Amino acid sequence: TEDEIILFEREMKEFWTKLKSIYGTEQIGQTSALRDSCKESIKVLSEKWSKKLKEGDLMIDKIHEYSKEMLQQSQCISENQEHLTEIKSNLNQEEEQKKDLTDSIQELKEELLKKKEIISSKNKATKERVERLCKFKALFEERLGLEIRRIHNEQLQFIFRHIDHKDPDKPYVFTLSINEQGDYEVTSCSPPLDCIEEFQIKVRETNNFSAFVANIRKAFTALSYK
């Protein structure tokens, strides 16, 4: 270091002073030349190491700078990794939601298909019953003096005549439909009969429609004599 060099030069001067008092001029000249050469070597060596130290300081600064950059890059990578993890998590959630939605849609489709099948089956049964009722039309008209009309909402209107001997053309009417459960249901009756509910329950139990119509005609006939 510079302090060591200064100390060394001071010691050299002291040594030179002692040497002058002991040796002659010639020896002192040789020693002086040797001293100058030594001083020059020390100066060159000092400059060389000073340069090396400066280069070392620059290298350390660069290392610190590189370390700082690496730390920043590491933090950036860590943040990107966290962001990527969040994106993956969101994608997984979206996939699960998509699967749940797909499953729900499939369940709704299956449920809708079942309902369509049930409705189709009920409609088919209703149609078959209406057709079966229509087949009895000729028989009822011939034997019971009955007229059957198909009116709105797939209902059948039954009109009896020749019941009241005082007024043979007087109509006795009831209207029949088939409800959502597929059962016969009397929607209107004129004149009203107290026993109509009983007849309705019985035809649902026995499915004997001819007896049902005959019983209603008998009830109308009995009513005409009151």
Side-chain angles (χ1 to χ4, degrees), residues 59-88:
M59 184 63 69
I60 291 172
D61 291 340
K62 288 184 179 180
I63 291 173
H64 287 163
E65 185 178 349
Y66 291 153
S67 297
K68 185 177 180 180
E69 290 179 358
M70 291 296 293
L71 179 60
Q72 291 176 347
Q73 291 179 1
S74 177
Q75 291 175 347
C76 183
I77 291 172
S78 178
E79 291 175 357
N80 290 337
Q81 186 67 34
E82 291 177 359
H83 184 58
L84 180 61
T85 301
E86 183 179 356
I87 292 174
K88 288 182 178 179

Side-chain angles (χ1 to χ4, degrees), residues 99-154:
K99 184 179 181 301
D100 292 340
L101 181 60
T102 302
D103 293 342
S104 298
I105 292 174
Q106 184 62 31
E107 290 178 0
L108 289 174
K109 285 182 178 179
E110 293 175 357
E111 184 177 354
L112 181 61
L113 181 60
K114 289 180 181 179
K115 287 183 177 180
K116 285 183 177 179
E117 291 175 352
I118 293 172
I119 292 173
S120 177
S121 178
K122 287 183 177 180
N123 289 340
K124 183 179 179 181
T126 301
K127 184 177 180 180
E128 290 175 353
R129 285 196 174 189
V130 171
E131 290 176 352
R132 190 163 57 249
L133 291 175
C134 290
K135 289 180 181 179
F136 290 119
K137 178 179 179 181
L139 177 63
F140 290 153
E141 288 179 348
E142 179 182 351
R143 296 187 181 182
L144 302 177
L146 173 65
E147 179 186 354
I148 302 175
R149 299 176 182 174
R150 179 178 290 184
I151 60 176
H152 60 279
N153 296 330
E154 294 297 326

